[in-house]
Amino acid sequence: MSKEFPGKIELHGESTKEELQAESLAAYDHHSSYTNIKDVPFEEFLHYSLIQRTKEEHEARQKSGEDDMRNPFGNLETQAVNMTPDELERSNARRALRQAGWAAVFFLITTDILGPFNAPIAIADLGYVPGVLLYIFMGIFAFYCGILLWRLFIHLDSDRYPVKTYADIAERIFGRSARHICTVLQSLQLIVNVGVICLSNGQSLAQIVAGENGTGYICFSLAIIIWALFGMVIGQIRTLKNFSFLANFAVWINLLIIFTSMGFIAHSPPNYAAAYLNGAVPGPITTTAFVSLPTTTKINGIMQMVFAYGGAMIFPEIMAEMRRPMDFWKGMACAQTLIFAAYLMYGIFVYAYQGQFTLPLAYQGVSKYSWQTVGNILALVTGIIAAGLYGNIGIKVAYINIVEDWFKGPSLLSRKGHAIWAVMVIVYWALAYIVGSAVPQVENISSLIAAICIMQFSYTFPPILRFGYDVLTDAMSEDSLYVPGNGTAGRVDTWKDASRWRRGLLTGRVWFKTLNFVLFIGFSVMAILGMWGSGVSIQSAFQVQGAATSFGCSAPV
């Protein structure tokens, strides 16, 4: 079981079971003297993550029958006596949460409901050639950045020092300020994601109630409230394992919506009335390889693609609940392959039939009421499942950072933790309602949140985090072998010395560090352009005659 991590943090060669057990027991025998995670030296994270991954590999081999050697890590009950009560409680809770397999990862990632149905508007905003090429480009880099996050997680996570959120990775590499930035952006993204899904479901309900003759009526803000209330109920599910079955169900329904709506769109004219409310200009259906639309519209199209690949923000949370995080890449690769194929196929097909009358939620662009209703009802089911998933993770982020970190509150698994969770669910979904009703424009609000948050988590942050990680580990190349409990005593210099910066920046894979830094700069510029484009588009959309208004009763479809 040869495991080599950067720096001098390693288990050497094919350890015998006695040697490996001794290393493991010695590690658990070490009492952490750090009362705050920010005081833990970087080397200690690497040390315990290596032990964690080695243990997981052995357990996986033993379970599959490939390894009949007795547990080299000894009895966990015996090891536990060498841990403080707080460390023991948190370690046991951590192991109890590690239940998901890589197949569950596939379903959790592909549960992102908005992505498939805003793919056509992305193609419509850009045209065939730029749309297809950019979908391919963004997909490749989304996968690359996902791999970066996965590698960072397995090098920094352990039962003793668990990585529970994206912010944990940022803090261990760049410090406390980076953690706060990630926490704020992640909380904002999750609330807006839930708000967008409530908005989408509100639109579906409004279309259903309107009826075939369009005479039915429900106040649009009330339609959004209904789904927020429903979310307050489903939000009481606390673990992602319990969401995996629902996520599985949602993926297949999403694919059903894609194929049925493609059939409906091929045999039905566009929903012209809804398209006019979204700014479409009357005329014959036209499609082009390159569109002559405003720059802001094209930028919004790119941001819709970013939204489609926006699952990276929850990758650390998903890995944190896996039995074997080393298998995460399998679920992610399968999920992103399906997402890419389904989104691109669906986007091209719908644009080919509806052209400039394509709607932000393509299944609502069918003019025949009965067919329109089929898509809306199926979307209501999958939408609430996706919103429940985002809400679950969003509330966990808030609980970990506010209740446990700031106020030193009880564990989420305790009885008091359950009560606090129930209250937070209600507050969270109330905020989601405010977001959805304040800006009733699915395309523009999703573009805005894609530029502010999703772009950072999926594209901008992973390269700079990997860059920082490589600088830290390359700087360790001349340090002595790390011994747990010795802190930074093994370092030959400090970050106040130019020699450490020189090793960090100019040794190791310099080309790889340069590549990641350049990607960070490029994606940052792209995010700024996205914020500008979506802001202008929101302002313009409110000025369209008959457009839905904030907290109003008129529906945008």
Side-chain angles (χ1 to χ4, degrees), residues 102 105-106 109 134-152 166 305-306 308-313 315 319 326-340 454-455 457-460 462-463 466 512 516 519 523:
W102 71 265
V105 170
F106 165 77
I109 293 175
L134 284 170
Y135 248 117
I136 295 172
F137 172 82
M138 300 302 287
I140 291 171
F141 278 102
F143 180 77
Y144 171 75
C145 291
I147 291 293
L148 293 182
L149 285 176
W150 167 61
R151 297 298 297 174
L152 289 170
Y166 204 116
M305 296 177 185
V306 171
Y309 295 114
M313 174 205 59
F315 285 1
M319 285 185 275
M326 290 291 287
D327 288 338
F328 172 80
W329 73 270
K330 300 176 185 177
M332 183 191 69
C334 292
Q336 295 210 346
T337 300
L338 175 63
I339 287 170
F340 170 77
I454 300 177
M455 187 77 199
F457 290 115
S458 295
Y459 295 98
T460 308
R466 181 67 206 216
F512 187 58
N516 285 322
L519 288 176
F523 288 131

Side-chain angles (χ1 to χ4, degrees), residues 530-541:
M531 295 177 206
W532 168 71
S534 55
V536 172
S537 296
I538 288 174
Q539 182 182 24
S540 301

Side-chain angles (χ1 to χ4, degrees), residues 88-403:
L88 176 60
E89 178 185 357
R90 292 182 182 275
S91 181
N92 287 339
R94 177 70 171 165
R95 283 193 291 271
L97 283 174
R98 289 183 180 272
Q99 300 294 327
W102 71 265
V105 170
F106 165 77
F107 290 115
L108 288 169
I109 293 175
T110 49
T111 302
D112 181 356
I113 179 64
L114 188 63
F117 310 118
N118 72 346
I121 195 68
I123 301 294
D125 286 344
L126 292 160
Y128 284 121
V129 175
V132 171
L133 290 178
L134 284 170
Y135 248 117
I136 295 172
F137 172 82
M138 300 302 287
I140 291 171
F141 278 102
F143 180 77
Y144 171 75
C145 291
I147 291 293
L148 293 182
L149 285 176
W150 167 61
R151 297 298 297 174
L152 289 170
F153 181 92
I154 63 174
H155 283 214
L156 297 174
D157 167 77
S158 64
D159 280 343
R160 185 180 286 269
Y161 300 112
V163 171
K164 294 177 283 187
T165 67
Y166 204 116
D168 288 336
I169 296 177
E171 179 181 18
R172 293 178 190 191
I173 295 173
F174 289 117
R176 199 70 174 173
S177 297
R179 177 186 185 85
H180 294 325
I181 292 172
C182 285
T183 299
V184 170
L185 290 178
Q186 190 172 23
S187 299
L188 177 63
Q189 178 182 335
L190 287 165
I191 289 177
V192 174
N193 276 1
V194 174
V196 169
I197 294 173
C198 286
L199 172 60
S200 303
N201 280 9
Q203 289 185 183
S204 294
L205 183 59
Q207 280 193 329
I208 293 170
V209 171
E212 189 167 2
N213 298 322
T215 55
Y217 175 78
I218 182 174
C219 177
F220 188 62
S221 287
L222 177 61
I224 298 176
I225 288 177
I226 291 173
W227 297 107
L229 293 173
F230 195 82
M232 292 177 187
V233 176
I234 197 174
Q236 299 306 323
I237 298 175
R238 288 184 297 276
T239 66
L240 290 181
K241 180 188 176 184
N242 294 331
F243 264 108
S244 61
F245 171 75
L246 293 176
N248 183 341
F249 186 60
V251 169
W252 298 113
I253 294 182
N254 279 341
L255 292 175
L256 179 61
I257 297 173
I258 289 175
F259 291 116
T260 54
S261 63
M262 286 169 68
F264 297 156
I265 287 169
H267 297 86
S268 170
N271 186 345
Y272 292 108
Y276 295 151
L277 289 176
N278 282 269
V281 177
I285 296 175
T286 58
T287 59
T288 59
F290 298 90
V291 298
S292 57
L293 293 173
T295 302
T296 53
T297 301
K298 294 178 181 178
I299 291 174
N300 278 352
I302 297 174
M303 290 302 109
Q304 295 303 306
M305 296 177 185
V306 171
F307 205 106
Y309 295 114
M313 174 205 59
I314 64 172
F315 285 1
E317 280 83 351
I318 293 175
M319 285 185 275
E321 299 195 16
M322 290 188 68
R323 288 187 299 271
R324 191 169 183 267
M326 290 291 287
D327 288 338
F328 172 80
W329 73 270
K330 300 176 185 177
M332 183 191 69
C334 292
Q336 295 210 346
T337 300
L338 175 63
I339 287 170
F340 170 77
Y343 289 16
L344 193 57
M345 174 192 68
Y346 190 61
I348 293 173
F349 185 92
V350 175
Y351 178 60
Y353 277 95
Q354 297 197 329
Q356 76 273 30
F357 299 106
T358 301
L359 291 183
L361 294 176
Y363 58 84
Q364 294 180 346
V366 180
S367 57
K368 190 171 182 178
Y369 174 74
S370 58
W371 294 351
Q372 185 187 95
T373 303
V374 170
N376 279 326
I377 291 176
L378 292 174
L380 290 177
V381 176
T382 56
I384 201 64
I385 293 173
L389 171 64
Y390 286 131
N392 175 278
I393 294 175
I395 297 167
K396 278 182 182 173
V397 170
Y399 193 97
I400 291 169
N401 288 283
I402 298 175
V403 177

Side-chain angles (χ1 to χ4, degrees), residues 57-78:
E57 179 176 320
H58 168 75
E59 290 173 348
R61 289 168 60 87
Q62 202 169 44
K63 186 175 181 180
S64 66
E66 296 177 10
D67 190 349
D68 58 359
M69 183 177 75
R70 70 179 178 85
N71 185 2
F73 294 91
N75 189 305
L76 291 178
E77 298 291 335
T78 302

